[in-house]
Amino acid sequence: MCYGLRMPRFSAMLILGLGLGIGMAFAPVALAQEEVAAVSDPVVADVVEATADLGVGYALDNFVLMVCAVLVLFMQAGFAMVEAGLNSAKNTVNILYKNLMDLAVGALLFFAFGFSIMYAGSYVSDPNAYFNMPHYGIYEAAADRTFSPQVDWLFQAVFAATAATIVSGAVAGRMKFGAYLAYSALLTGLIYPISGFWKWGGGWLMQFGVETADGWSMGFQDFAGSAVVHAVGGFAGLAGAIILGPRLGRFTSDGKSVPLPGHNITFAALGVFILWVGWYGFNPGSQLAFQGTGDIDATVLIAVNTTLAAAAGVVVATLLSWILFGHPDLTMSLNGALGGLVGITACCDCFTNGWSVVVGAIAGGLVVFGVMLLDKLKIDDPVGAWPVHGLCGMWGCLAIGLLPNSHLESGSTSLMIQLVGTLSYCAWAFATMFALFLVLKAIGMLRVSPEEEKAGLDVSEHGMHAYPSEPYGASVTA
C-alpha cells in the first residue's frame, strides 16, 4: 500500500497529456538545435558532407548487407541446435557454450586484427599475395566507398564465426573447453583470415591463371565460401576428430561401429531449418550489390539456386539412406539439406536453376557416403561436419570446373585452377589445425578424462546440467 499523496485519475491523465503536448511542441526546436550543433562540429560536419552525396543506392546496399549479416549471425543458433540435438544430453551446455564463444571471441579478434589480415588492400596500398602484417581495428572510410567499413566488417565477421563453429560438432563430447577456446581464437584470428585473403582479399588465388595485357584474366572462383569458409571448417574439424580419437563406446574393440544417437532430433531439425533460412543471408548477401536491375536479378537467382540445391540434397540423401539402410533416415536427410547448401555456396551465381539441382543432388549423395567413409576409417564425427562442410565444400568449388556454367563460358577459371584452390584451402586448414591439436594433446590440454567424459562435459567442464533431474524449487521446503 502507498501512503503518499494520491491524485485523481483524471488529473493525472491531464498533467501527462499536457507534458506530452509540451514535449512534442518543443521537440522540433530541440532537434533543430541538435542538428545545428552537430553540423557546427568540424568532425561531424566532415562526416555529413562525406555521406550526403552517396545517395539512396548507398543506403540500400548497406542496409541489405546489414540484414544479411544478421541472418548469417542467426546461423549460430542453427549450428547450436543441430549440434546439441545430435549429441548426448549431458553435453548440451558445453555445445551451446562453444557456439556462444565462437561468436564472441571471433568478433573481438576479427575486429582487433583478423579483418586487416583478410582485407589487407584496405589498409596498405600494395599488399603481399600470401600474408600481410595485421593492423588494429576497422579501416577508414573513403569518400567514394561502396560500403560503410562498419557493415563490411560486420558481414565478414559473422562469416569468420561460421567457419569456427563448424568444428564444434566434430569434436563434441570429449574436448576440453579451454582447448576449444584456443582453437577458436587461432582459427578466427589468424588461420581463416590468411586463407580468406588468398581469394576474397585479392591474394594469390585471384592472381593465378593466364596473364593478359589488362591483368589476370583467370582466378579461383568461390562465390560465397564453399572452400573459403566451409571446407576450412570441415577439414579443421576432421583434424580435431582424428587427434582426439572417438568418443567412449563409439567403436567396439574389434572395430565395429556403434551409433550413439542424439538426444533431441527435434532440436536438430529446427537447427537445420534455421541454417537454411540463414543461408539466404550467406549466399544472396555475397552479391554485395542490390540497387540495380542486374544486381537484384542476380540476387534472386542466387536465392532460388540455393533453395533448389538444398531440396535436391534432401531428396537424394533420403533415397540413398532408404536403399542402403532399409528405412529413410531423418538425420541423413537433414545433413543432405546442409550438404546441398554448402555445395551450391561456391557456385550459386554461375549455374542455371537446373544445374543447381544437379550440384545439390550430388552433394546429398556425398553426405551419405562421407558418413559411411568415416565409419570405415573409425573417425568419430558426431554431427557429420566433415561430410557436410569438408566434402561438399570441395565439391562446390570443383563443380565450377566440371559442369557447364558462366565462369567456364567466360574463361574466368578452369578445372585446374579450381582444383589447386580447393586443395590449398583443405590442406591449409587440415595441416595448421592438426599441428595445433597435436600440441594441445602433447601438453595434456586437449581431451577430458574418461571419468569426465562419462559424467558429461556439462558437469565436468561447467558444473551445471542443461536438464536438471528435479524441477526448480523442488528441494525448497515450504
Side-chain angles (χ1 to χ4, degrees):
M1 180 178 293
C2 176
Y3 293 98
L5 180 63
R6 295 185 179 183
M7 183 178 296
R9 182 177 300 178
F10 175 78
S11 300
M13 292 178 64
L14 179 61
I15 292 175
L16 179 60
L18 288 172
L20 288 174
I22 293 171
M24 293 176 66
F26 282 99
V29 177
L31 289 173
Q33 290 174 342
E34 289 179 4
E35 291 175 1
V36 171
V39 174
S40 65
D41 186 325
V43 176
V44 177
D46 290 342
V47 173
V48 171
E49 182 178 356
T51 58
D53 297 331
L54 296 180
V56 175
Y58 173 85
L60 177 63
D61 282 347
N62 280 266
F63 177 75
V64 173
L65 193 63
M66 184 188 72
V67 172
C68 289
V70 173
L71 283 173
V72 177
L73 188 152
F74 190 47
M75 291 173 72
Q76 293 291 130
F79 280 117
M81 292 296 97
V82 170
E83 294 165 16
L86 293 180
N87 278 277
S88 171
K90 64 185 179 182
N91 298 316
T92 301
V93 170
N94 181 258
I95 290 169
L96 299 178
Y97 217 147
K98 288 189 296 183
N99 279 264
L100 176 65
M101 296 306 292
D102 280 333
L103 181 57
V105 173
L108 292 174
L109 292 179
F110 201 70
F111 167 77
F113 51 82
F115 188 51
S116 69
I117 295 174
M118 189 164 172
Y119 291 95
S122 298
Y123 295 82
V124 296
S125 58
D126 187 21
N128 183 276
Y130 298 94
F131 173 73
N132 294 272
M133 295 304 295
H135 294 72
Y136 175 76
I138 300 173
Y139 64 89
E140 295 183 3
D144 59 346
R145 61 191 177 277
T146 302
F147 289 108
S148 162
Q150 302 294 316
V151 78
D152 190 14
W153 175 86
L154 181 63
F155 190 66
Q156 299 303 331
V158 291
F159 271 59
T162 298
T165 297
I166 291 167
V167 179
S168 174
V171 300
R174 68 258 202 222
M175 187 175 186
K176 289 184 177 180
F177 188 62
Y180 185 83
L181 293 182
Y183 141 77
S184 182
L186 184 64
L187 186 83
T188 53
L190 189 63
I191 302 303
Y192 170 77
I194 290 175
S195 57
F197 168 73
W198 297 347
K199 158 61 183 169
W200 290 340
W204 70 277
L205 284 175
M206 288 308 295
Q207 303 170 12
F208 180 70
V210 179
E211 188 175 9
T212 66
D214 298 328
W216 297 100
S217 65
M218 303 182 79
F220 176 66
Q221 302 297 327
D222 185 357
F223 181 73
S226 285
V228 178
V229 177
H230 293 281
V232 165
F235 276 86
L238 179 63
I242 291 173
I243 299 299
L244 271 167
R247 290 166 292 172
L248 296 176
R250 179 64 179 83
F251 298 98
T252 62
S253 57
D254 59 356
K256 182 180 178 181
S257 175
V258 179
L260 300 178
H263 84 283
N264 197 320
I265 301 302
T266 303
F267 280 2
L270 175 62
V272 169
F273 283 119
I274 291 173
L275 287 168
W276 193 331
V277 171
W279 236 282
Y280 295 109
F282 210 96
N283 286 359
S286 294
Q287 175 66 18
L288 301 179
F290 313 99
Q291 56 183 286
T293 301
D295 292 329
I296 202 64
D297 283 347
T299 301
V300 175
L301 171 69
I302 291 164
V304 172
N305 285 349
T306 299
T307 305
L308 293 173
V314 171
V315 171
V316 170
T318 299
L319 292 175
L320 279 177
S321 67
W322 207 333
I323 293 169
L324 295 172
F325 312 135
H327 57 268
D329 187 320
L330 177 59
T331 60
M332 286 291 186
S333 299
L334 293 172
N335 273 338
L338 298 180
L341 290 165
V342 170
I344 201 63
T345 293
C347 47
C348 51
D349 65 321
C350 64
F351 279 116
T352 63
N353 295 152
W355 282 113
S356 296
V357 173
V358 174
V359 171
I362 294 174
L366 288 174
V367 166
V368 176
F369 290 116
V371 171
M372 296 173 65
L373 176 62
L374 291 182
D375 262 5
K376 292 293 184 183
L377 297 175
K378 301 179 182 60
I379 298 174
D380 184 16
D381 181 350
V383 303
W386 179 77
V388 169
H389 301 278
L391 198 55
C392 292
M394 292 180 65
W395 160 241
C397 290
L398 293 178
I400 297 175
L402 291 168
L403 303 178
N405 63 83
S406 60
H407 289 316
L408 288 184
E409 291 173 4
S410 66
S412 62
T413 192
S414 68
L415 176 58
M416 182 55 65
I417 289 177
Q418 291 303 115
L419 181 62
V420 170
T422 301
L423 293 180
S424 297
Y425 278 104
C426 298
W428 167 255
F430 184 82
T432 54
M433 292 298 100
F434 195 87
L436 172 66
F437 290 129
L438 273 180
V439 171
L440 293 173
K441 183 177 182 178
I443 62 178
M445 186 180 170
L446 185 63
R447 181 162 179 160
V448 299
S449 68
E451 294 75 21
E452 291 172 327
E453 185 175 342
K454 290 177 182 177
L457 273 62
D458 290 0
V459 173
S460 62
E461 291 285 287
H462 308 289
M464 63 177 63
H465 294 277
Y467 310 104
S469 57
E470 293 183 352
Y472 288 108
S475 62
V476 179
T477 58

